[in-house]
Amino acid sequence: MVTEHGFVDHLRELLDDSNPMVVANSVAALAEIREKSCSPDSTVGLDSKVVHKLLAALNECTEWGQVFILDTLSSYVSQGDQGAERVIERVLPRLQHANCAVVLSAVKVIVVQLEDLRDPARVQQLVRKLAPSLVTLLSAEAEIQYVALRNINLIIQKYPDILKSEVKVFFCKYNDPIFVKQEKIETM
């Protein structure tokens, strides 16, 4: 019904708007439509032009707008090394963000884009940049630690050496809730 009345097309047009808040809100609406849609790939057509617009809006919008944009960018398949490098370089500053959701969304985008890089040395260099942000998430509340640990477990499967020098953060503290202790043990 949304597609039949041209609402999705209008939202796609709003991705070209000069106001980053409009772009972020249209991405959020398209993401919600994609979740509810029978054909989820048809809502946001991500090409290099749209990705460039989303990356430009990333600096100017609210943190929740950034989360929606980053989640949308995580489904983008870049066209080779240069496209992946560009996306990663624009997303890297989000690893320092105060909002844990922004950090985790940025990690997701970077991990997805790393698959398109062919230079193993560059991949290792970028993977090392993820480690401090992931470790920082482990100093947050227990619920956030749990989510971070679940994500770390997935990342370690792909990049086992990412946190080899940070083993100490996975030691269980006496006041850690049991669900956090279990995840820390599983991670080690």
Side-chain angles (χ1 to χ4, degrees), residues 75-132:
S75 64
Y76 175 63
V77 178
S78 60
Q79 311 301 325
D81 276 5
Q82 291 176 343
E85 271 295 333
R86 239 178 278 124
V87 172
I88 291 170
E89 290 302 323
R90 296 289 295 274
V91 172
L92 273 174
R94 299 294 165 273
L95 294 176
Q96 311 299 320
H97 203 281
N99 186 319
C100 298
V102 173
V103 174
L104 285 172
S105 294
V107 167
K108 182 179 177 183
V109 171
I110 292 169
V111 168
V112 167
Q113 293 300 317
L114 285 174
E115 294 175 16
D116 294 332
L117 294 179
R118 289 183 221 110
D119 181 14
R122 182 67 177 141
V123 169
Q124 272 311 112
Q125 180 185 20
L126 291 168
V127 165
R128 273 187 257 127
K129 289 183 179 182
L130 293 175

Side-chain angles (χ1 to χ4, degrees), residues 123-167:
V123 169
Q124 272 311 112
Q125 180 185 20
L126 291 168
V127 165
R128 273 187 257 127
K129 289 183 179 182
L130 293 175
S133 299
L134 295 171
V135 169
T136 301
L137 291 173
L138 296 178
S139 63
E141 298 86 31
E143 294 79 9
I144 294 173
Q145 285 182 41
Y146 177 77
V147 172
L149 285 164
R150 297 291 294 180
N151 282 280
I152 287 169
N153 281 333
L154 293 172
I155 294 169
I156 285 175
Q157 291 173 16
K158 181 95 174 154
Y159 305 103
D161 293 337
I162 186 172
L163 296 171
K164 69 180 177 185
S165 63
E166 304 288 344
V167 174

